Amino acid sequence: MPKPSSCFVCQSCGSVHGKWAGRCDSCGEWNALVEEVTSHNEKPAHKRKKGRSLDFIDLGGESKAVPRLKTGIAELDRVTGGGLVPGSAILVGGDPGIGKSTLLLQATGKLAAAGFKTAYISGEESTGQVRRRAKRLGMSHTPVSLAAETSLGPIIDGLMAEKPDVVIIDSIQTLWTDQLGAAPGTVAQVRACSQELTRFAKKRGCCVILVGHVTKDGQIAGPRVVEHMVDAVLYFEGDRAHQFRILRAHKNRFGPTDEIGVFEMRETGLSEVPNPSALFLDGRGEASSGAAVFAGLEGTRPVLTEIQALVAPAAFGTPRRAVVGWDSGRLAMVLAVLEARCGVSFAGKDVYLNVAGGLRINEPAADLAVAAAIASSAFDMPLPPDTVIFGEISLSGDVRPVGRAAARLKEAAKLGFKQAISAQPTKSSTKNDNTILPIIAMKALPDLISRVEASSEHGLNADSAWGNANKAA
Ligand code: TYD
Ligand code: MG
C-alpha cells in the first residue's frame, strides 16, 4: 500500500503546495498554508475491475423542463432564474451583517407558507436567537423546521429523515466532518462539507442553500472550489450605511447571471423593491453641479442612478482619485480622454466619484454620464435638469451607442425625465428612440464638454444653454 503523503493547502485561496512556506505563492497571504494528509487509495486504471460502462445518448430528443420552486419573493426568484431548482445547490455569499440569514429565513417562511417542506440549520446562532428573529419578522407560526448543529454527520442523517424540499445551511464555514483531521473552518473542511451537501442535494432532489462569508477583498472565504461545486453563486451586497441590499447572480447553471434583486432592510426585515430607479433617485434635490443621472441596465432591468463627481484643487502632493461604485481604471481612462481630447486639465486636482445609493455599476455605458458629471463639477455648471445620460466613450473621444437604448429611455420617461443625452442613435433605432424621449445626440465627447464650458462661461442657466432637445438633435 502506498504511504499517505501530505500536501499544504492555502486557507486563503485554496491552492495546493508540495512544501510548507511562510507565504502562499499564489495569493501572497502570509501564514496561510496548512498541512493536509492525502491518501492514495485509488487503483491505477488498468488494475481496476471492469464495472458498469457509460450509457451514451443523443444530444437531441426530449428533455423535461426544469421544475422550479417559487419562493414567492419576486426579487429572489428573478435572480435564481425563475425559482429554486430541486436537486441544486446554491451558495449565497456576502459580508457579515448584510442580511443573508434574514433573507433566507424569510424565504423559508414564504416557501413553508406555500406548502413546501423547509429546514433551517443554523451553525452560528442558537435556536433561541433564530426564533427571536423569526418573531421579529412576523413568522413565528410558519412551519419551518429549525435546528442548530455544526457536525455534518447528524445534519445529513437528520435531513434524510426529515426529507425537506429546501434546506438552508447557515453557514458552510461553521460545519465540520469527523472524516477529516482538519479543524473546522479550514479549506479542507469547507470543501468536504460542501461536497457532501451538494451530493445530498443531487441524490435526494432537495434544494440546498449554503450561506458563505465573504472576505474583505470580496472573495468567498475558503476555497474557490466551493463556487465550482455548486450550481449557482449569489452575492448579497450593499453598503451597511444604506438600507438597500442587492442580490446578484455570479454564476447560475439554471438562469442568466446578470440579473439583480433589490431589497430594502427595514425594521421588519427585508422588503422587495420592484422599482429600484425610484429608490436610487429618491432624495435628489435641485440640479447641482457634478451630478448626472445615468440610465443603466442591470440584467434585463433598466435602473437609473445618480453619478456624483467632485473636482477640487489638491491640497498637497499627488492628486487623489477616489471612486465608490465604479471601476477606478475606467475613471482613469475617462480622465485621460477628457485631458487629451477636450483639453480639460486635472493636474493638481483631486477627483472624487460616487454612485449614489451604494449601487455598483459595471457597464461601460456609464462613461458618458461620468464624463458629464466630472465636467459639470470642473466648470461648476449644473447639467440640464430632467435629463438622463448614457453612452460609451472610446479612447479617440467618440461617443458610441450602447445596447437596449429603448429600454433605458422608457424607464427614464416613466420616471418623469424629459430628455436624454446619448450617442447618435443607430439608423435602425433613430425613429423609435426619439419618440420615446427626445435625444440630444453627441458624436464625440468634446461636443458635450464644449456645451458645459460655454454655458459656464456665458453664465447661462442650464435650460438656455442646452435648449430644446429636438432642435439640437
Ligand atoms: P443578518 O441576516 O444577521 O446578516 P448576515 O446573516 O448576513 O450576517 O442581518 C443582520 C443585520 O440586519 C443586523 O445588523 C440587523 C439588521 N436587521 C434589520 O435591520 N431588520 C430586521 O428585521 C432584521 C432581522 C435584521
Ligand atoms: Mg447570519
Side-chain angles (χ1 to χ4, degrees), residues 86-405:
S88 70
I90 299 175
L91 179 66
V92 177
D95 288 323
I98 206 75
K100 302 180 293 295
S101 305
T102 309
L103 174 70
L104 295 171
L105 192 60
Q106 282 181 275
T108 53
K110 287 264 191 177
L111 282 163
F116 295 109
K117 209 161 173 195
T118 57
Y120 188 98
I121 317 273
S122 177
E124 292 185 346
E125 292 162 308
S126 66
T127 47
Q129 279 171 308
V130 180
R131 276 186 172 169
R132 270 196 295 281
R133 171 174 305 165
K135 194 169 171 200
R136 200 158 131 202
L137 298 171
M139 44 178 283
S140 300
H141 302 292
T142 34
V144 176
S145 312
L146 174 66
E149 181 60 68
T150 55
S151 177
L152 188 67
I155 291 179
I156 297 279
D157 292 345
L159 292 176
M160 296 252 216
E162 184 77 12
K163 298 193 180 67
D165 297 308
V166 178
V167 55
I168 315 286
I169 306 285
D170 189 2
S171 65
I172 186 67
Q173 273 106 347
T174 56
L175 295 201
W176 61 281
T177 163
D178 51 13
Q179 308 281 312
L180 287 178
T186 53
V187 167
Q189 286 283 5
V190 171
R191 195 199 305 139
C193 294
S194 312
Q195 204 156 28
E196 191 66 33
L197 285 163
T198 313
R199 202 178 308 142
F200 171 82
K202 300 256 151 12
K203 210 162 148 193
R204 303 276 154 163
C206 158
C207 176
V208 174
I209 302 182
L210 309 172
V211 175
H213 290 295
V214 164
T215 57
K216 56 185 179 307
D217 52 352
Q219 290 200 349
I220 295 211
R224 278 257 125 138
V225 284
V226 178
E227 296 194 5
H228 303 310
M229 268 183 242
V230 294
D231 298 296
V233 179
L234 313 180
Y235 277 101
F236 205 33
E237 29 175 78
D239 203 331
R240 280 233 248 160
H242 291 99
Q243 74 273 37
F244 325 123
R245 301 284 183 270
I246 293 159
L247 188 67
R248 201 185 280 278
H250 182 70
K251 154 185 174 176
N252 193 354
R253 286 190 185 141
F254 301 108
T257 52
D258 49 4
E259 291 290 1
I260 63 164
V262 184
F263 298 88
E264 191 180 355
M265 184 59 101
R266 297 230 187 117
E267 275 295 290
T268 50
L270 289 157
S271 64
E272 299 172 52
V273 179
N275 188 353
S277 304
L279 189 72
F280 289 130
L281 295 180
D282 192 26
R284 219 162 43 97
E286 286 284 290
S288 59
S289 61
V293 178
F294 166 55
L297 214 55
E298 292 286 348
T300 52
R301 217 163 24 157
V303 175
L304 267 50
T305 38
E306 186 179 67
I307 293 182
Q308 303 162 346
L310 179 65
V311 179
F316 37 65
T318 324
R320 290 197 63 182
R321 273 94 178 91
V323 197
V324 179
W326 207 48
D327 183 32
S328 55
R330 202 91 201 161
L331 172 68
M333 191 205 92
V334 169
L335 290 178
V337 174
L338 279 168
E339 292 225 27
R341 311 287 174 191
C342 312
V344 187
S345 170
F346 295 99
K349 300 255 179 70
D350 286 341
V351 179
Y352 302 94
L353 192 81
N354 179 38
V355 177
L359 187 71
R360 215 194 132 71
I361 299 177
N362 298 317
E363 267 192 298
D367 291 353
L368 193 62
V370 168
I374 292 171
S376 160
S377 174
F379 294 109
D380 193 20
M381 189 69 214
L383 293 163
D386 297 331
T387 307
V388 293
I389 308 180
F390 59 91
E392 188 178 337
I393 297 172
S394 69
L395 287 179
S396 62
D398 289 340
V399 179
R400 298 260 177 83
V402 294
R404 304 204 37 225

